Amino acid sequence: MTKIAGIIAEYDPFHLGHRYQIQETRRQTGAGYIVAVMSGDFVQRGEPAIFEKSQRVRMALSCGADLVLELPAPFAVGSAEDFASGGISLLHKLGAVDLVSFGSECGTLGPLLGAARALADESAHFKDALKAQLRRGLSYPQARAAALKAGGVTKEILLALDSPNNLLGIEYIKAILRQKSSMEPFTIKRDGLGYHDDRLLPKGEAARFASASALRRAIFALCPTSQADPLLLSPGQDLTGTSSCTSQYDRSAQMRSDRTGCSSLLSSQILEQLPPDLHPLYTSGKLLPIHPDDGSSILNYRILSCIQEKIPFEDFSDISPELAGRIRELCGRPRSFSEQIMGLKTKQYTYTRISRGLLHLLLRIRKEDMEMYRQSGYCSYARILGFKRSAAPLLRAIKEKSTIPLIAKAADAPKLLSPQARRLWDQDIYCSHVYHGLVQQRYKITLTDEYRRPVLVL
């Protein structure tokens, strides 16, 4: 059997950098198949995915992935550690994956391995130092770096902890070590603008690849959350320097009446960052962008329900007692999702950390649930979202070696899963149906029920 590589990703949305990773993984490792473990309808920064998962599966398969499996929502929207541990667990339990490929700023494994080993060990000295730094009011990433520095790690390792993609790579390696997996880590140097850089620069000035953040920002400029009807963008329209969602187009001239999505995402800067194979999808009118603030009404309802039913906010994952107290203080009036986050943000609690906590509240992901999933080994099944017909040998190899059930037809899940696995499955289905509600509310379109969704085959 040819070498099989795994990639854990969100593809939110899929862009040239993702295609580059797939191509370079094949070229540098000789992998014959790429298995992508992809977040479903919600993502790790604590927001709904910009496009529904079936659309992102099609993008991934069209641009090089051979098989796409779903990372269950509790891990997809968890901390970096839970996100990585969930993805590594799924790939490891398939029994056929040889290596895990990820991007990093440093592009070499040495410092990432050093940091992962230091963090995987978690000595008593490190834990005490970490607690001391947290008591000082530092955020968790800052406290962790300070605790490692106090433990005498090298400057190279500390520098590796300064960038988001390095941090996620470190978590992947740490999960491989802790789960005693035989899969080998493999990293590709990230090429392009920074992880948080949200610019789409004019042609000739941009780095090779823009970030997914920049593409989401440009797409949201076409479909602002305050406007129910999707909007058109004229071919070649410039989004450079856009500072608001309404400043670059004329609503009355460009508004659609059929509510079928942003039918023309044709900014030249957007197209330059997308594989050509995806251009027809972006011009088809079938993409339905969802904005984080589209979940505002559900979040406000959940906050009020918890107060009415006397459910402690701190019962939900990533919500500390202190953050729970701040939520109670600010619950007097409805706010948008982003306004809720800004009202809760402090030096200690980052925007993303608060966003994840609020999303866990919205999706009913409790601390006790997460602890049960961790104790049971994270992923307890593998749901197939799509594959290429040419990947038949890959699927046969996985079916022979997998230690967890493979689910292609959702209706089969109840008879294939243990009670604990069924709890994770039910929660994942619930999260997808919440996302379907956001799409229905915004676009007046009903998506296919999760139990009737076919596997995509290209």
Side-chain angles (χ1 to χ4, degrees), residues 88 100 172-181 183-185:
I88 293 297
V100 180
Y172 292 143
I173 299 172
K174 189 175 79 174
I176 288 172
L177 294 173
R178 286 185 170 176
Q179 296 178 29
K180 296 180 171 56
S181 174
M183 296 187 302
E184 296 181 1

Side-chain angles (χ1 to χ4, degrees), residues 62-303:
S62 298
C63 296
D66 297 292
L67 169 65
V68 181
L69 306 173
E70 182 170 9
L71 180 64
F75 311 129
V77 303
S79 65
E81 182 175 37
D82 284 329
F83 177 90
S85 296
I88 293 297
S89 167
L90 202 162
L91 288 172
H92 171 64
K93 291 175 181 178
L94 294 179
V97 178
D98 300 294
L99 62 95
V100 180
S101 173
F102 55 87
S104 65
E105 275 83 5
C106 64
T108 59
L109 282 176
L112 305 181
L113 281 166
R117 289 183 180 123
L119 292 170
D121 177 46
E122 282 200 346
S123 64
H125 181 271
F126 172 78
K127 290 179 180 178
D128 290 342
L130 178 63
K131 290 177 182 177
Q133 298 299 332
L134 289 170
R135 284 196 294 269
R136 289 179 52 206
L138 298 181
S139 67
Y140 184 82
Q142 293 170 332
R144 185 172 65 174
L148 286 174
K149 184 177 181 179
V153 301
T154 66
K155 184 178 180 180
E156 187 181 32
I157 289 175
L158 291 174
L159 287 174
L161 290 165
D162 278 342
S163 55
N165 283 297
N166 282 355
L167 286 174
L168 197 50
I170 289 167
E171 290 297 340
Y172 292 143
I173 299 172
K174 189 175 79 174
I176 288 172
L177 294 173
R178 286 185 170 176
Q179 296 178 29
K180 296 180 171 56
S181 174
S182 62
M183 296 187 302
E184 296 181 1
F186 174 78
T187 190
I188 295 171
K189 185 172 176 59
R190 191 178 187 278
D191 187 3
L193 294 174
Y195 182 86
H196 293 300
D197 196 318
D198 64 359
R199 294 173 296 163
L200 283 183
L201 299 178
K203 187 174 182 179
E205 296 182 25
R208 185 171 182 185
F209 303 130
S211 67
S213 299
L215 285 168
R216 288 192 299 270
R217 179 178 176 272
I219 293 168
F220 288 149
L222 313 181
C223 298
T225 187
S226 60
Q227 179 62 49
D229 283 309
L231 302 173
L232 296 176
L233 181 68
S234 300
Q237 183 171 327
D238 185 11
L239 291 175
T240 303
T242 303
S243 59
S244 73
C245 290
T246 59
S247 61
Q248 296 292 319
Y249 50 79
D250 176 39
R251 292 183 182 221
S252 60
Q254 299 186 41
M255 187 176 295
R256 283 178 59 82
S257 61
D258 60 5
R259 299 176 182 263
T260 56
C262 292
S263 75
S264 182
L265 305 185
L266 287 179
S267 157
S268 61
Q269 293 141 297
I270 291 178
L271 288 181
E272 286 168 9
Q273 296 300 330
L274 299 173
D277 288 344
L278 302 187
H279 292 187
L281 183 59
Y282 272 73
T283 59
S284 67
K286 295 179 181 180
L287 291 178
L288 307 172
I290 292 296
H291 191 282
D293 280 347
D294 288 335
S296 300
S297 59
I298 301 178
L299 176 62
N300 287 318
Y301 169 76
R302 289 288 297 131
I303 289 174

Side-chain angles (χ1 to χ4, degrees), residues 5-52:
I7 293 176
I8 305 166
E10 293 179 330
Y11 297 145
D12 190 36
F14 195 101
H15 54 67
L16 285 175
H18 296 131
R19 187 184 66 173
Y20 174 78
Q21 181 190 8
I22 291 174
Q23 291 174 337
E24 285 299 293
T25 298
R26 289 188 191 276
R27 186 182 69 82
Q28 295 186 38
T29 70
Y33 294 108
I34 301 291
V35 177
V37 175
M38 190 190 79
S39 301
D41 290 320
F42 293 90
V43 293
Q44 204 260 335
R45 66 184 178 277
E47 297 175 357
I50 188 169
F51 300 133
E52 193 264 343

Side-chain angles (χ1 to χ4, degrees), residues 302-313:
R302 289 288 297 131
I303 289 174
L304 292 175
S305 295
C306 286
I307 292 172
Q308 179 69 22
E309 298 168 21
K310 296 181 171 53
I311 300 172
F313 293 121

